[in-house]
Amino acid sequence: MIQFRIQPDSEIPASTQLFNQIRFAIASRQYPPGYKLPSTRALAMQTGLHRNTISKVYRQLEEDGLVESLAGSGIYVRAQGHEGGSRLQSPILKEHPQAYKIVQQALDELLSQGCSLNQAREIFLAEIDWRLRCSARVLVTVPSADIGAGELMVYELEQTLKIPVQLVTMEELAAVLDKTTSATVVTSRYFIGDVEVIAAPKSVRVIPLDIYDYAKEVDLLKSLPKDSCVGIVSLSSGIVRAAEVILHGLRGDELLVMTAQPKDSYKLHAIVKRAQLIISDQASFTAVQTAVQMLQEDIIRPPKLVRCENYIGTTSINLLKRELGLA
């Protein structure tokens, strides 16, 4: 940070000294367009001036058109003439004040590598256009043997993203991609290797999703009394199988584990009648509640119901929102 010095015994008022030093920093490009000025607190500590004095100097700089104040963000050096293009007129850049700096740095890097402005523009527009086209169609893909995992991802993505999502089995993916010019293919990280092989020759992007870690549910299962009966209900047959393996690893034969998919009413009803605890994914929870209500007269003590968090991890959801331009 530039060191501003105030001469307390000078005939020139302290506020004028600071104003002239900042104006020189801007004119000499030590503070280039888009640069965020120090906070009044930081400048007060450096110069010994009162924060009110510094605020007065900043207001004067703004009145003179040298800086602009962005609510909740800070004070930024304004571009002069046409050096900032339309930056100052864009409400988007007022909402995202660092965007101009990021774009400028990326553009400067391209120019330093020998690209012309027209070439840089073509690169930017091509990438933006491709992302927009890919975002217009979102495909979830999983092996047909675990179609339930795909149904679960579609359920959660449509609930969260508020856009249509299409489910395609991996066995059908190549044929579907042959008929589209662009798309975003989403799958669990379990299947990402196989999906990338299929999608590599196509004009699509592939985004892997991390699953929820089930840490709270695992802690709950660790604390269950020996010989408890646990029910696991999920749309995904893969989750059901994995849950059995994990539970056996945690508790061995101490727990009786029963599993079902929500459409298998026979197994689901058996779980409701026998289990003390039933854990289900969000998409299956309503079916579990309905089964409990239907069998109320047949059970002495209703099982405790636990609805898991999303199958898809929060970080992956946020990444996908960003990639699709929804956040």
Side-chain angles (χ1 to χ4, degrees):
M1 185 170 70
I2 297 174
Q3 296 295 312
F4 297 111
R5 293 180 172 80
I6 304 300
Q7 300 294 335
D9 55 352
S10 172
E11 295 181 358
I12 302 174
S15 60
T16 303
Q17 293 183 51
L18 181 61
F19 176 84
N20 287 336
Q21 289 182 59
I22 295 176
R23 188 168 61 173
F24 176 78
I26 294 172
S28 63
R29 302 283 288 196
Q30 295 178 78
Y31 280 177
Y35 184 86
K36 184 179 180 179
L37 269 60
S39 67
T40 56
R41 182 187 297 274
L43 213 49
M45 292 177 63
Q46 182 190 139
T47 62
L49 297 178
H50 195 280
R51 291 177 66 181
N52 288 342
T53 301
I54 297 169
S55 294
K56 177 183 175 183
V57 170
Y58 279 180
R59 286 195 297 272
Q60 183 61 51
L61 289 166
E62 188 167 15
E63 290 173 5
D64 288 359
L66 297 173
V67 301
E68 59 180 337
S69 174
L70 300 182
S73 179
I75 309 292
Y76 294 82
V77 177
R78 289 187 60 178
Q80 305 297 315
H82 292 282
E83 66 180 347
S86 60
R87 182 176 70 91
L88 298 180
Q89 286 72 45
S90 172
I92 298 174
L93 287 164
K94 288 195 173 183
E95 184 179 352
H96 305 284
Q98 293 301 314
Y100 171 74
K101 187 175 182 180
I102 293 169
V103 171
Q104 188 180 50
Q105 289 174 343
L107 182 57
D108 288 344
E109 178 64 23
L110 286 173
L111 295 176
S112 71
Q113 292 182 15
C115 285
S116 67
L117 278 174
N118 280 333
Q119 289 172 328
R121 177 177 180 273
E122 185 175 339
I123 291 170
F124 273 113
L125 290 179
E127 177 66 16
I128 292 169
D129 179 63
W130 181 71
R131 289 197 180 199
L132 287 173
R133 286 188 288 111
C134 286
S135 300
R137 188 177 188 188
V138 179
L139 307 176
V140 165
T141 189
V142 295
S144 58
D146 193 9
I147 195 68
E151 292 172 345
L152 189 53
M153 282 191 279
V154 168
Y155 171 83
E156 292 186 2
L157 291 177
E158 289 189 334
Q159 292 285 318
T160 305
L161 304 179
K162 309 299 182 185
I163 61 172
V165 178
Q166 181 181 353
L167 176 59
V168 178
T169 66
M170 285 169 54
E171 292 83 352
E172 300 172 325
L173 183 60
V176 170
L177 295 182
D178 283 338
K179 299 175 182 178
T180 186
T181 56
S182 54
T184 294
V185 179
V186 178
T187 190
S188 165
R189 199 173 292 278
Y190 277 116
F191 314 125
I192 187 64
D194 293 333
V195 172
E196 285 186 323
V197 169
I198 297 170
K202 316 298 181 182
S203 298
V204 299
R205 58 179 174 174
V206 180
I207 299 178
L209 298 178
D210 296 317
I211 65 172
Y212 170 60
D213 62 15
Y214 298 99
K216 290 188 293 186
E217 291 76 14
V218 168
D219 287 341
L220 177 60
L221 292 166
K222 286 180 179 178
S223 66
L224 285 178
K226 186 178 178 180
D227 297 326
S228 295
C229 179
V230 178
I232 307 294
V233 183
S234 174
L235 283 178
S236 168
S237 59
I239 291 177
V240 166
R241 290 192 299 270
E244 288 185 288
V245 173
I246 292 169
L247 277 175
H248 184 75
L250 285 173
R251 299 293 302 269
D253 295 326
E254 292 181 349
L255 301 178
L256 172 62
V257 181
M258 302 176 68
T259 63
Q261 292 182 269
K263 294 178 181 178
D264 189 337
S265 58
Y266 178 80
K267 286 187 176 182
L268 181 57
H269 288 185
I271 288 175
V272 170
K273 291 177 181 179
R274 180 70 176 82
Q276 287 87 42
L277 171 69
I278 301 176
I279 299 176
S280 79
D281 56 45
Q282 293 201 25
S284 306
F285 192 69
T286 300
V288 174
Q289 286 180 310
T290 301
V292 171
Q293 291 173 355
M294 288 178 60
L295 298 170
Q296 277 183 342
E297 296 181 358
D298 298 330
I299 51 181
I300 299 173
R301 180 179 295 176
K304 179 180 179 180
L305 305 184
V306 174
R307 178 172 56 186
C308 294
E309 300 285 345
N310 281 355
Y311 171 64
I312 305 170
T314 303
T315 301
S316 284
I317 287 286
N318 291 336
L319 169 65
L320 191 55
K321 281 184 177 180
R322 187 167 68 248
E323 288 294 324
L324 296 175
L326 302 174

